[in-house]
């Protein structure tokens, strides 16, 4: 195959060109397994354990359901549904909302921060799980913050890179093996937990480190779970474009990221409240026996690789398109490695990642919830689910999505206002809250403010007369129909 | 020369893909949008869940 033919072949799945229907890998079941593979990683246990800091089991279940169900649906409407319809990855789609420069700005600040953090955390989780296997099987005494944990984390990162280098087909194949195994492991963990405690004791267990105000504790628990739900935003659009229809992208992702996540989080919360440690990898070997323990631990360890592979795939695509001409011709494998370098560096500080987890999740939630509000207002209300594909790919000022020098000011201002609203209601750095936070959380008002403000600002800053954004112009489809 | 050829081939490929997707969209089968029923179902789930949250926090 000539170099030109190879470049054309890679332009869809490995590039930012639209993926055609016959190239799409994932039907309803496939995408459900991909999302289940994403959901059941060690991070779900960590979130469950962190929720138990503030609330008991009953309120914790409520907080997880509210945060994950509401947050995941809002996030999916702002990602997979759009990408699946056009077969276009989300950072290219976002040009129609934020402009070319706006997308680059968002990617190289918020998204890079979020995704490098999650990637490093997944690596560290793999490292700690592997260290635990070694400690029990070989009698080693590897500390959770040891350099060996970082070495294992780097192996996880390298494995995810190898998986992604072969493309989404390998991710699908890997998930078909790992995800069902993980589902069985989760069932086993739940059964074990209920042999160690009763439902009555579980419901009576006190939260581990609550504030004095019970309403505040519940609101923080909901907010934290909303933050987790919104934190899927950076990767879901790129995965969603490989699904065969918007329906096959929305509901399977909901099943995986909301329903299955909640079940996995419950394991973390129940084990934190009853066994004193959120992480099943710590007690699994003694609880489940050596054989089951090692098999279960290996599945959990590999789950971190599947989750990381999905992150790397999405962000490598994003890196290619957000960087303009800089990485336009860089080989896919090299680009994936470039994305993973910062994650590899951060994985040298596994303790920091765990200690600052709550801050990290809520801080990224502040930005991502606001962006979701803007995207939903733009795509569903202003554009009525129609995007001009030609304009997405037209260069610079030739595109109707060039807005003001590459930035859609209406979208940028409304998103920043959403972030401001979030920080006014809840400051993740200082943990200061406004009285309203106990009733509204911070993410929900952030979505609402950016949604409404974008609807108000767009006609003012991108009027029909100006032609900016093409809000009043027909798409090629409408033109063709006339 | 090779670079120019590659750029031209990619440009042609992009145009072909856009044309295919738009003709599918015109048929409104392969790449249809979410229906209003599906969209409302999603929003109702969101609002009911948030309302339950409000009740629990009260």
């Amino acid at each position: 195959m000539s170099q030109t033919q190879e470049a054309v072949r890679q332009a869809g799945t490995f590039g930012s060109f639209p993926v055609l229907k016959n190239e799409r890998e994932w039907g309803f079941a496939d995408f459900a397994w991909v999302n289940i593979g994403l959901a059941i990683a060690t991070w779900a246990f960590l979130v469950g354990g962190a929720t138990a800091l503030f609330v008991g089991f009953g309120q914790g279940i409520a907080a997880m359901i509210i945060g994950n169900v509401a947050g995941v649906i809002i996030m999916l409407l702002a990602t997979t549904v759009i990408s699946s319809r056009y077969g276009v990855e989300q950072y290219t789609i976002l040009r129609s909302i934020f402009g070319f420069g706006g997308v680059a700005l968002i990617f190289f600040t918020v998204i890079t921060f979020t995704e490098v953090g999650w990637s490093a955390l997944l690596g560290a989780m793999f490292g700690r799980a592997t260290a635990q296997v070694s400690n029990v099987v070989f009698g080693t005494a590897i500390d959770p913050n040891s350099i060996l944990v970082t070495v294992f984390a780097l192996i996880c990162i390298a494995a995810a890179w190898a998986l992604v280098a072969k493309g989404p087909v390998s991710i699908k194949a890997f998930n078909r093996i790992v995800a069902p195994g993980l589902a069985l492991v989760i069932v086993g963990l739940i059964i074990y937990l209920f042999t160690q405690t009763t439902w009555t004791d579980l419901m009576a267990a006190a939260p581990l480190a609550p504030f004095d105000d019970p309403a505040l504790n519940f609101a923080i628990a909901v907010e934290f779970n909303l933050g987790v739900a919104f934190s899927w935003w950076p990767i879901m659009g790129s995965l969603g474009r490989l699904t065969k229809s918007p329906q096959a992208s929305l509901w399977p992702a909901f099943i995986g990221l909301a329903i299955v996540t909640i079940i996995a989080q419950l394991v973390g919360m129940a084990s934190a409240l009853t066994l004193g440690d959120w992480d099943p990898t710590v007690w699994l070997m003694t609880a489940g026996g050596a054989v089951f323990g090692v098999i279960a631990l290996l599945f959990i360890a590999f789950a971190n690789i599947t989750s990381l592979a999905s992150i790397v795939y999405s962000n490598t695509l994003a890196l290619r398109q957000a960087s303009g001409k800089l990485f336009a011709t860089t080989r896919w494998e090299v680009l994936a490695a470039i994305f993973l370098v910062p994650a590899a560096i951060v994985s040298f500080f596994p303790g920091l990642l765990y200690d600052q987890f709550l801050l990290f999740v809520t801080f990224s939630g502040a930005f991502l919830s606001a962006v979701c509000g803007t995207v939903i207002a733009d795509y569903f209300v202003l554009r009525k689910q129609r995007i001009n594909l030609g304009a997405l790919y037209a260069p610079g000022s030739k595109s109707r999505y060039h807005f003001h020098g590459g930035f859609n000011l209406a979208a940028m201002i409304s998103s920043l206002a959403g972030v401001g609203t979030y920080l006014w209601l809840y400051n993740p750095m200082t943990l200061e809250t406004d009285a309203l936070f106990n009733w509204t959380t911070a993410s929900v008002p952030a979505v609402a403010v950016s949604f409404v403000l974008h609807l108000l600002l767009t006609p003012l800053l991108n009027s029909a007369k100006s032609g900016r954004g093409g809000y009043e112009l027909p798409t090629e489809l409408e033109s063709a129909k006339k | 020369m090779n670079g120019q050829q590659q750029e031209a081939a990619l440009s042609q490929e992009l145009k072909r893909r856009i044309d295919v997707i738009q003709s599918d969209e015109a048929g409104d089968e392969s790449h249809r949008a979410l229906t209003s029923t599906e969209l409302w179902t999603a929003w109702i789930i969101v609002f009911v869940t948030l309302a339950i949250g409000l009740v629990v926090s009260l």
Side-chain angles (χ1 to χ4, degrees), chain A residues 21-261:
Chain A
K21 195 184 174 193
N22 61 358
E23 296 170 326
R24 300 190 185 197
E25 299 288 341
W26 296 331
F28 192 102
D30 289 321
F31 199 46
W33 284 123
V34 166
N35 284 283
I36 290 169
L38 261 176
I40 313 178
T42 317
W43 52 18
F45 306 133
L46 180 56
V47 172
T51 303
L53 291 173
F54 304 102
V55 289
F57 197 70
Q59 280 204 322
I61 293 175
M64 286 173 183
I65 292 174
I66 295 158
N68 283 294
V69 169
V72 163
I73 287 186
I74 294 171
M75 179 278 300
L76 289 173
L77 289 174
T79 52
T80 58
V81 172
I82 316 172
S83 295
S84 176
R85 176 167 191 193
Y86 289 102
V88 176
E89 55 86 26
Q90 77 187 70
Y91 295 93
T92 302
I93 293 265
L94 286 176
R95 291 171 177 173
S96 68
I97 299 165
F98 292 97
F100 292 66
V103 173
L105 183 65
I106 290 171
F107 179 77
F108 286 111
T109 54
V110 181
I111 306 305
T112 302
F113 165 78
T114 308
E115 297 310 283
V116 166
W118 278 116
S119 302
L121 186 66
L122 281 166
M125 286 171 164
F126 175 91
R128 285 191 173 183
T130 312
Q132 192 63 24
V133 173
S134 169
N135 287 349
V136 174
V137 176
F138 303 112
T140 53
I142 303 172
D143 184 80
N145 295 326
S146 146
I147 188 69
L148 270 176
V149 169
T150 298
V151 171
F152 293 138
L154 294 175
I155 290 171
C156 172
I157 289 170
W161 173 82
L163 203 58
V164 171
K166 293 185 184 302
V169 176
S170 63
I171 297 175
K172 181 173 86 171
F174 204 65
N175 270 305
R176 274 191 174 166
I177 300 164
V178 173
L182 280 168
L184 288 174
V185 168
I186 290 292
V187 171
L189 291 175
I190 291 171
I191 292 169
Y192 173 76
L193 280 169
F194 276 97
T195 62
Q196 301 299 304
T197 185
T198 64
W199 180 257
T200 314
D201 288 345
L202 205 50
M203 292 301 280
L208 304 176
F211 293 108
D212 292 335
D213 180 358
L216 176 63
N217 287 321
F218 182 67
I220 289 183
V222 173
E223 182 55 58
F224 178 54
N225 280 275
L226 280 165
V228 170
F230 285 117
S231 71
W232 298 110
W233 185 88
I235 62 169
M236 290 312 294
S238 303
L239 300 178
R241 76 175 186 147
L242 299 172
T243 59
K244 290 172 180 169
S245 69
Q247 291 71 29
S249 73
L250 177 62
W251 302 112
F254 176 70
I255 291 167
L257 300 186
I259 309 300
V260 177
T261 292

Side-chain angles (χ1 to χ4, degrees), chain A residues 224-306:
Chain A
F224 178 54
N225 280 275
L226 280 165
V228 170
F230 285 117
S231 71
W232 298 110
W233 185 88
I235 62 169
M236 290 312 294
S238 303
L239 300 178
R241 76 175 186 147
L242 299 172
T243 59
K244 290 172 180 169
S245 69
Q247 291 71 29
S249 73
L250 177 62
W251 302 112
F254 176 70
I255 291 167
L257 300 186
I259 309 300
V260 177
T261 292
I262 291 168
I263 296 168
Q265 287 182 4
L266 283 176
V267 172
M269 183 166 66
S271 63
L273 289 170
T274 57
L275 303 176
D277 201 313
W278 59 266
D279 189 352
T281 62
V282 172
W283 47 261
L284 199 58
M285 299 293 290
T286 43
V291 177
F292 173 77
V294 168
I295 292 171
L297 266 178
L298 286 175
F299 265 105
I300 292 172
F302 276 108
N304 294 318
I305 298 179
T306 59

Side-chain angles (χ1 to χ4, degrees), chain A residues 343-386:
Chain A
I345 294 169
V346 178
S347 70
F348 278 84
F349 309 96
L352 178 75
L353 291 165
Y354 279 80
D355 295 344
Q356 301 301 325
F357 184 60
L358 185 68
L359 172 66
F360 169 64
V361 170
T362 46
F363 205 68
S364 26
F367 286 90
L368 299 177
S369 57
V371 167
C372 283
T374 304
V375 171
I376 290 170
D378 198 281
Y379 177 71
F380 286 99
V381 182
L382 297 173
R383 298 194 189 278
K384 298 181 174 58
Q385 303 190 60
R386 296 269 190 219

